[in-house]
Amino acid sequence: MAMSNTRNTQESQDSQKSQTSENARKPTDNAADRPSPMEVLRQARGQLAELTGMTAESVSSFEQTDQGWALEVEVLELERVPDTMSLMASYQVELDAQGQLTGYRRVRRYERGRSDPRRTGGH
């Protein structure tokens, strides 16, 4: 009888080890499916360029949201001479959790050589 109990205990331990190693291999959430932040940036720039025909020059803001990602991208809308007079635009870009563009809109246009007006009163 003692031999039978030892065998059952060993089989139970082996079964637990097997289940533990299988669980370790399975992803517990969709984190493995999510692209890295750099992949999201590349995808956003490429998708925006394809849709608008304008090349993204820089990303001025980038954050993860409940729905995916939100970015603000600076693009060259109209090239002028001198370069400081070129017309730039900021686009708000939204992507889903997999990095696919779900929407964009232009939020600002400005000349490259001009800075935002300084606000007074702490606003």
Side-chain angles (χ1 to χ4, degrees), residues 1-2 11-12 20 25 59 67 70-71 78 86 93-94 98 102-103 112-113:
M1 186 84 165
E11 287 174 2
S12 175
T20 301
R25 283 186 235 129
V59 176
Q67 294 78 31
L71 295 82
L78 180 61
S86 292
V93 180
E94 296 174 5
Q98 286 72 41
T102 59
R112 185 188 295 270

Side-chain angles (χ1 to χ4, degrees), residues 62-91:
F62 177 71
E63 67 178 304
Q64 191 169 7
T65 66
D66 291 339
Q67 294 78 31
W69 306 89
L71 295 82
E72 192 160 315
V73 180
E74 309 301 317
V75 301
L76 175 63
E77 283 204 334
L78 180 61
E79 192 169 5
R80 293 184 178 155
V81 176
D83 190 48
T84 55
M85 298 302 290
S86 292
L87 193 58
M88 303 292 294
S90 293
Y91 281 81

Side-chain angles (χ1 to χ4, degrees), residues 15 20-21 23 26 34 41 49 60 63 85 87 89 99 107:
S15 175
T20 301
S21 66
N23 289 341
K26 294 179 185 175
R34 291 183 74 102
L41 289 171
S60 55
E63 67 178 304
M85 298 302 290
L87 193 58
V107 293

Side-chain angles (χ1 to χ4, degrees), residues 8 20 23 45-46 50 83 86-87 89 94 106 115-116 123:
N8 288 342
T20 301
N23 289 341
R45 290 174 65 140
E50 187 174 341
D83 190 48
S86 292
L87 193 58
E94 296 174 5
R106 184 175 60 203
S115 63
D116 288 334
H123 295 285

Side-chain angles (χ1 to χ4, degrees), residues 48 51-52 91-94 101-106:
L48 184 64
L51 289 168
T52 64
Y91 281 81
Q92 182 178 343
V93 180
E94 296 174 5
L101 195 138
T102 59
Y104 72 91
R105 68 185 174 106
R106 184 175 60 203

